[in-house]
Amino acid sequence: MNTLSAYIEGIGLLGPGLTDWASSQPILSGLQAYQPEKTVLPPPALLPAAERRRSGVIIKLTQAIGLEAITAAKQDAASLPSVFAASGGDGANCHNICEMLASDDREISPTRFHNSVHNAAAGYWSIATGAMATASVVSAFDASFSAGLLEALTQVVVDNTHSILLSYDTTYPEPLFSTRPISDAFGIALVLAPQPSAQSLVKISVSLTDASADKLTDNALESLRSAIPAARGLPLLRAIALQTDQHVVLDYLDNLRLAVTITPC
Amino acid sequence: MNPLWLSHFTATSSLGCGLGETLDALRQGRAGLHPCTFDTVNLPTFIGEVAGLDAVQLPANLAEFDCRNNRLALLGLSQDGFTEAVHAAKAKYGAQRVGLFLGTSTSGILQTELAYRQRDAATGALPENFIYRTTHSAYSVADFTRHYFDLSGPAVVVSSACSSSAKVFASARRMMAAGLIDAAIVGGVDSLCLTTLYGFNSLGLISAQACRPYDAERNGISIGEAAAFALLQRQPEQLDADAVLLLGIGESSDAYHMSSPHPDGLGARMAMQDALKMAGLQPAEIDYINLHGTATQSNDAAEGKAVQHVFGAHTPCSSTKGTTGHTLGAAGGLEAVICALALQHGLLPAGLNTQQLDPALHLDYVLQNRAQPLKRVLSNSFGFGGTNCSLIFARAG
């Protein structure tokens, strides 16, 4: 079985009751209680004013986690290939378009239409950072975090490059919410590198497995993990926060999971 | 990169089902576009519609996946012995060693558009028979295909608008090179829906005629639908001369605008140059370029400049979107298959509907089919959000 290894140099995290990676580490490692609160999204500081006005939740979320991870890794985002992994697109935008298309007035707004593509977050990220490198935009329903991690690892390992993974999900309004109940906005960003450096936090080694996915022992955090596809990456972040050698199994597809060995640098 | 072998490939579009009908249409210069009568759409435009999708039935155990996009996927997978080829690869390598990489832009969103017409008057709820996961969800077409073949390897949908099913080749290449899989099903499936028809209309990018790529008077796209697939394997020692190989891939981002390309085609240029670099080829070694060529003013102008910058004015090129329409997330896959047919049959397909070439674009744009041996061809796919991908294919001998 093949193993893919990379070094994590920077982490971005934003979700309900989780405001950034630094303040979330003691929560994930169990030193501090987790208090679920609605996700607070900062305005997208990197975007020009015109784009900032048009940006919805998904843009704010990805820019926040991406910027946090890039800053921690001391990387220039303009040079980084990227992977955007999400279960769906902009839920509110989708709802609005579907409502209009079911009405007598089907003149949907051009901005809504171009924001409806799944690579809107990748497009705004490249505009904000000037990144002309490749952006992979992937989706695998509840398996989207691990699908994105695999995509980023293959970039790092095969093309011998840094890469930033952004895995994120946002909510649908009703009536779609009832059919796809993602509870809140949540995102994880990881800057991955092929070699160790002064910025390296941990080395991860990933292989395919059919073992069962690890759950989180804290009930509220486990609810979060199981409710939001991007939060399926939380066991990895918990293992990093523990700052010791760890082994976790991340949820992926129905008959396939990712075995991850985490070694602090 | 180590060349990858397209051991099997197939395409279904408005030109017909499978390679035979597709090749016939290309040879005869027969377009698949007709005036739009799709659903309740009231727009003066042409579409490239796949006939017979209403009659396609999904296997009973996969009935929950029923939607136009997955019907189109099944119709496509059923052509040219593709299903049998996947089962053979699965038997040879193991179900976990065959990866699945499919591109789509709108997946089964038509199902949601229809469901929104049937919301409960009192509660606003969608009808009970609506299932988000197996229809609307971006991953639905890969989920369906993975179940259809009973695979257990990595699977993903790439959804980067109109570059989606070109970029699947890049993801598959990396995962094969990383050693996680031995074979990959790549492709794209995108089907007609109101979101794209009314969406492109809102941007003023829909033509009232059958689209005219690279024409001086071009005035927008014609939307089509398609399912195209290829089975990628490592290059064996012995191959027939007309076997088709993937030699290089270039990917880039414009970092410019959400719905307009960089005016000088900087990102497009980078994608083509990176594909040549990965393949270890000089521009003069490319015999034909299948252009993205959507027939919008801005795409063709930017792409034309980029092609001229990289290749000069003498590499034959055309857009086959005047034939198939713009099949969006399926375009990269469909045009990869058209390139494979061009290589195998020595056919440079004409760009249909183009009457007066844009004099500002100095290119050898193919207006009549040419019969000529081809060794290496390049295919461009670009998309909203400034996403670009170029693929280079070649004959084995």
Side-chain angles (χ1 to χ4, degrees):
Chain A
M1 178 51 66
N2 293 75
T3 300
L4 305 183
S5 295
Y7 297 84
I8 295 178
E9 293 190 340
I11 299 173
L13 174 62
L14 187 58
L18 302 168
T19 51
D20 57 26
W21 168 238
S23 65
S24 300
Q25 286 180 68
I27 298 170
L28 293 172
S29 61
L31 293 173
Q32 203 174 309
Y34 171 55
Q35 304 281 354
E37 283 171 36
K38 197 168 168 15
T39 303
V40 181
L41 297 161
L46 290 178
L47 274 178
E51 270 78 18
R52 203 180 308 155
R53 275 198 305 278
R54 295 172 180 169
S55 66
V57 171
I58 215 159
I59 308 305
K60 294 188 177 90
L61 174 62
T62 47
Q63 301 252 326
I65 57 172
L67 186 58
E68 187 191 357
I70 290 284
T71 306
K74 298 190 168 64
Q75 283 290 319
D76 177 11
S79 65
L80 286 194
S82 54
V83 175
F84 289 76
S87 161
D90 182 330
N93 195 62
C94 175
H95 166 72
N96 182 282
I97 289 174
C98 289
E99 253 191 340
M100 286 205 75
L101 292 175
S103 76
D104 294 333
D105 174 17
R106 293 175 171 179
E107 297 294 313
I108 61 179
S109 108
T111 300
R112 281 210 183 277
F113 178 57
H114 79 221
N115 282 345
S116 75
V117 295
H118 279 260
N119 58 320
Y124 283 106
W125 175 255
S126 71
I127 292 168
T129 62
M132 294 189 75
T134 182
S136 294
V137 182
V138 299
S139 187
F141 200 66
D142 284 348
S144 296
F145 178 83
S146 287
L149 181 59
L150 277 182
E151 174 76 15
L153 282 168
T154 62
Q155 282 186 354
V156 169
V157 170
V158 173
D159 294 337
N160 191 32
T161 175
H162 278 68
S163 174
I164 178 168
L165 165 67
L166 301 96
S167 177
Y168 51 93
D169 288 291
T170 56
T171 61
Y172 278 109
E174 288 291 4
L176 277 167
F177 178 82
S178 292
T179 69
R180 183 52 168 158
I182 291 175
S183 53
D184 203 346
F186 180 95
I188 293 173
L190 302 173
V191 174
L192 299 161
Q195 281 92 31
S197 74
Q199 268 65 52
S200 300
L201 302 170
V202 295
K203 178 185 182 183
I204 58 168
S205 297
V206 178
S207 57
L208 301 176
T209 180
D210 52 14
S212 303
D214 289 349
K215 296 183 174 177
L216 294 164
T217 46
D218 181 281
N219 285 338
L221 283 171
E222 174 55 21
S223 300
L224 183 61
R225 188 195 71 89
S226 56
I228 306 178
R232 302 289 205 284
L234 278 174
L236 172 61
L237 295 198
R238 177 177 178 274
I240 297 170
L242 289 170
Q243 299 181 354
T244 55
D245 288 0
Q246 296 286 323
H247 178 83
V248 297
V249 177
L250 296 179
D251 198 16
Y252 183 30
L253 296 163
D254 51 1
N255 48 11
L256 193 64
R257 258 76 56 184
L258 298 187
V260 188
T261 301
I262 298 104
T263 315
C265 291
Chain B
M1 69 175 276
N2 293 320
L4 294 173
W5 175 37
L6 281 71
S7 66
H8 301 80
F9 50 87
T10 185
T12 290
S13 69
S14 59
L15 301 187
C17 295
L19 297 176
E21 292 184 15
T22 304
L23 183 62
D24 278 352
L26 292 172
R27 280 190 166 140
Q28 293 162 17
R30 175 171 61 78
L33 303 178
H34 62 73
C36 179
T37 53
F38 179 70
D39 185 63
T40 55
V41 174
N42 182 21
L43 292 172
T45 186
F46 280 63
I47 56 171
E49 186 172 10
V50 174
L53 288 181
D54 291 341
V56 175
Q57 278 201 323
L58 269 53
N61 62 322
L62 300 174
E64 64 177 347
F65 286 95
D66 190 29
C67 64
R68 185 176 185 88
N69 208 54
N70 290 331
R71 288 183 183 200
L72 178 50
L74 177 60
L75 185 62
L77 290 167
S78 307
Q79 311 301 320
D80 300 310
F82 195 81
T83 292
E84 293 73 16
V86 170
H87 285 300
K90 194 176 125 185
K92 182 176 179 185
Y93 300 118
Q96 207 188 82
R97 300 287 299 179
V98 180
L100 177 61
F101 306 82
L102 298 182
T104 188
S105 69
T106 53
S107 191
I109 198 168
L110 175 64
Q111 210 68 10
T112 309
E113 294 168 358
L114 299 174
Y116 264 68
R117 296 179 194 167
Q118 300 166 42
R119 291 174 68 178
D120 185 281
T123 66
L126 296 171
E128 296 233 334
N129 61 4
F130 172 76
I131 313 171
Y132 174 90
R133 177 177 65 85
T134 50
T135 61
H136 175 138
S137 163
Y139 178 63
S140 154
V141 68
D143 202 4
F144 165 70
T145 305
R146 194 168 184 267
H147 281 93
Y148 180 66
F149 290 125
D150 200 16
L151 296 170
S152 52
V156 77
V157 152
V158 172
S159 190
S160 52
C162 306
S163 72
S164 300
S165 58
K167 285 174 73 78
V168 292
F169 286 88
S171 297
R173 172 194 77 89
R174 284 187 286 264
M175 200 170 280
M176 288 180 77
L180 287 183
I181 53 172
D182 298 310
I185 302 162
V186 296
V189 185
D190 236 352
S191 45
L192 295 170
C193 61
L194 278 66
T195 299
T196 50
L197 283 160
Y198 284 97
F200 280 104
N201 182 61
S202 76
L203 287 161
L205 295 179
I206 293 259
S207 177
Q209 309 154 312
C211 70
R212 296 154 66 184
Y214 281 77
D215 193 296
E217 303 290 319
R218 65 185 179 276
N219 58 8
I221 69 173
S222 302
I223 294 179
E225 59 188 347
F229 301 94
L231 182 61
L232 299 179
Q233 305 188 50
R234 295 190 181 91
Q235 182 182 9
E237 284 186 14
Q238 297 290 325
L239 274 180
D240 292 342
D242 71 349
V244 177
L245 298 171
L246 172 66
L247 295 190
I249 305 168
E251 300 174 272
S252 73
S253 305
D254 276 359
Y256 178 73
H257 190 269
M258 276 306 294
S259 53
S260 305
H262 187 286
D264 294 323
L266 272 189
R269 202 191 282 183
M270 279 172 64
M272 290 185 274
Q273 287 168 333
D274 286 356
L276 288 166
K277 191 174 157 195
M278 189 183 284
L281 293 172
Q282 296 300 314
E285 294 177 280
I286 298 296
D287 301 322
Y288 164 72
I289 300 168
N290 189 286
L291 299 161
H292 187 54
T294 58
T296 65
Q297 277 294 334
S298 60
N299 174 81
D300 294 4
E303 183 185 23
K305 282 184 200 170
V307 168
Q308 202 195 336
H309 179 89
V310 176
F311 292 93
H314 303 299
T315 304
C317 56
S318 67
S319 163
T320 43
K321 289 189 173 71
T323 314
T324 62
H326 189 354
T327 60
L328 309 177
L334 175 61
E335 289 157 27
V337 170
I338 290 174
C339 282
L341 288 173
L343 285 165
Q344 288 188 328
H345 299 278
L347 170 71
L348 279 72
L352 298 191
N353 311 332
T354 302
Q355 293 152 17
Q356 179 67 48
L357 272 178
D358 186 339
L361 305 173
H362 306 286
L363 300 170
D364 178 13
Y365 192 89
V366 179
L367 289 170
Q368 300 289 333
N369 279 347
R370 296 182 199 169
Q372 173 187 316
L374 297 170
K375 287 194 86 167
R376 298 172 209 91
V377 303
L378 178 140
S379 177
N380 279 337
S381 299
F382 310 137
F384 271 15
T387 169
N388 310 299
C389 186
S390 299
L391 303 171
I392 295 176
F393 299 99
R395 284 173 65 94

